[in-house]
Amino acid sequence: MTVVGPFGLSVRDQALEADVQNGLSAVEAGLLEATKSEVPFITESAQHLVRAGGKRFRPLLVMLAAQFGDPYAPGVVPSAVVVELTHLATLYHDDVMDEADVRRGVASANARWGNSVAVLTGDFLFARASHILADLGPEAVRIQAEAFERLVTGQILETAGPRDGRDPVEHYLDVIGGKTGSLIAVSGRFGAMMSGADDGITDILTQYGERLGVAFQLADDVLDIASDSHESGKTPGTDLREGIPTLPVLHLRARAAAEGRPEDLALVALLDGDLTDDARHAEVLAGLRAHPALERARRDTVRYAEEARAMLAPLPECYAKAALEELCDAVVHRAG
C-alpha cells in the first residue's frame, strides 16, 4: 500500500499507483509548459501558483476516473491540465475579489503585483486552457463551457446573496455546487470520457465528482473554523475575518433567528462587528468552535461524501473504485 496524491490517499495496487503517479507527473509538466510565455514576466506570474504547489485534487480524480477505460489514452493528461489550469485561474480572480494576501502559503498574485496583473494572469490561464481544449474536440469544449458558466454563476450568486425568502443555507449549497462542484464533476467526466469509458460509467463519475466537490468545500468551511493549521496555507478564521459566509456561520445565524437564544444572538452580534480586531476575531472563533453549528456543518460534509460514495455502487469492483471510495473518507477526515 503506497500513499499518493492529496490527503495521503493510499493505493493498494502497484499498477494503479504507477499510472496515477506517472499521470500526475505528466500533468505537472503540462502545467509548466502551458504557463510559459514569450514574455518572461507573464511566465513568472502565470507559474506563481503552479510552483506554489497544491493538492492537485482535480487531476487526481481525472487519473482515477480514466482507470475505467484506457488510462493511457492521449486526451487524459491534457484534460487534467485543462481542469487544473481553470481552477488556478479562478484562484487568481478569487484572491482579487476577496482581497486575499496569502494563497498556498505564499503571497497572492494580487498582493505581489496588484489586482490588474492578477486578473489578467487569470485570463491568460483561461486562454491557455481553451487552447488545449480545442485539441480535445467540440464535446470537451462544450462540457468545459457549461461548467465554467456554472462556476461563474455560482460566484455571482454568492456576491448577490440569497433572494428574499430564500433559505440562506440552500442558497449557499447552490453556490458551492457551481463554484466547486462543477469543475470537480468535470474532472470525473473528462477522465472517464477521454479514456473511452462507456456513457453510463462517465455519468456515474460525473455525479460522484459533483457531490464530492460539495463535500470538499464544506470540509474547507469546517477547517476554517476548527483547524489550527489550515491545509490551504491560510490561517484559521480567514474566511471569518473577510466576511465570507461559510456553512457553520450560516447554521449559527439560522438557529439564532429561529430560536432566539441569548448566547446565539450574542455570538451573531460579535460576528457582525469588526473582525479585523484580533481579540474580537479570536472570541468569535472560539465561540464557533464550541457551537453546535460547527458539528452540524460536519454532518452536512459527511452526508455529501456519503452521497458521492453511494454513486459508485454500480461500478465494477477494482482498485480504482476503492481509491475513489477512500477519497470520500479523506474528505470527511479533513473535517473531523
Side-chain angles (χ1 to χ4, degrees), residues 14-317:
Q14 288 185 342
L16 175 58
E17 176 203 344
D19 284 349
V20 171
Q21 295 281 27
N22 290 339
L24 291 176
S25 295
V27 169
E28 211 63 30
L31 288 170
L32 290 174
E33 184 62 31
T35 49
K36 286 180 182 175
S37 168
E38 293 179 358
V39 181
F41 176 67
I42 295 177
T43 301
E44 182 184 6
S45 63
Q47 292 186 351
H48 180 62
L49 289 184
V50 174
R51 295 187 181 279
K55 292 179 280 290
R56 303 293 189 252
F57 182 68
R58 293 154 188 82
L60 174 66
L61 183 51
V62 173
M63 296 304 142
L64 290 174
Q67 292 292 319
F68 294 89
D70 175 10
Y72 311 109
V76 172
V77 168
S79 71
V81 173
V82 165
V83 292
E84 189 66 9
L85 280 177
T86 304
H87 171 58
L88 288 169
T90 66
L91 297 185
Y92 281 85
H93 288 177
D94 283 352
D95 285 346
V96 171
M97 295 177 65
D98 299 339
E99 299 179 351
D101 294 325
V102 176
R103 169 69 69 175
R104 294 182 172 175
V106 300
S108 62
N110 48 298
R112 185 167 177 179
W113 294 295
N115 287 347
S116 294
V117 169
V119 169
L120 291 169
T121 300
D123 293 345
F124 176 81
L125 296 182
F126 284 130
R128 287 296 172 89
S130 298
H131 183 79
I132 297 169
L133 266 172
D135 292 331
L136 298 178
E139 178 70 359
V141 173
R142 183 186 64 79
I143 290 168
Q144 178 75 356
E146 289 175 352
F148 190 48
E149 179 184 342
R150 285 190 62 206
L151 194 158
V152 173
T153 299
Q155 186 68 68
I156 292 171
L157 286 174
E158 181 179 61
T159 303
R163 65 179 183 271
D164 288 345
R166 180 83 196 278
D167 178 2
V169 172
E170 288 183 6
H171 171 84
Y172 180 67
L173 292 172
D174 282 349
V175 165
I176 61 175
K179 281 186 60 179
T180 305
S182 62
L183 196 56
I184 294 178
V186 166
S187 301
R189 186 170 185 176
F190 274 171
M193 187 176 85
M194 296 299 166
S195 73
D198 68 43
D199 290 346
I201 288 177
T202 300
D203 183 60
I204 286 169
L205 291 168
T206 303
Q207 297 300 321
Y208 164 85
E210 177 87 22
R211 288 159 177 78
L212 189 68
V214 173
F216 184 81
Q217 181 57 55
L218 296 184
D220 265 2
D221 284 4
V222 172
L223 279 170
D224 188 65
I225 303 299
S227 176
D228 290 327
S229 177
H230 200 292
E231 290 184 12
S232 71
K234 298 190 298 184
T235 55
T238 296
D239 290 339
L240 198 62
R241 191 185 295 274
E242 293 172 356
I244 298 170
T246 59
L247 194 60
V249 170
L250 292 172
H251 279 323
L252 165 66
R253 291 186 183 280
R255 177 168 137 153
E259 301 179 14
R261 298 186 185 192
E263 61 271 25
D264 293 349
L265 295 171
L267 187 52
V268 168
L270 280 171
L271 190 63
D272 289 338
D274 180 12
L275 295 185
T276 61
D277 177 78
D278 288 342
R280 188 183 191 106
H281 178 264
E283 187 177 358
V284 172
L285 196 57
L288 280 167
R289 284 173 173 171
H291 197 277
L294 183 61
E295 183 56 35
R296 184 168 181 184
R298 282 197 179 99
R299 291 199 304 270
D300 289 336
T301 304
V302 171
R303 175 166 57 87
Y304 275 94
E306 288 304 314
E307 285 181 8
R309 184 199 303 277
M311 291 302 305
L312 299 173
L315 295 180
E317 297 300 325

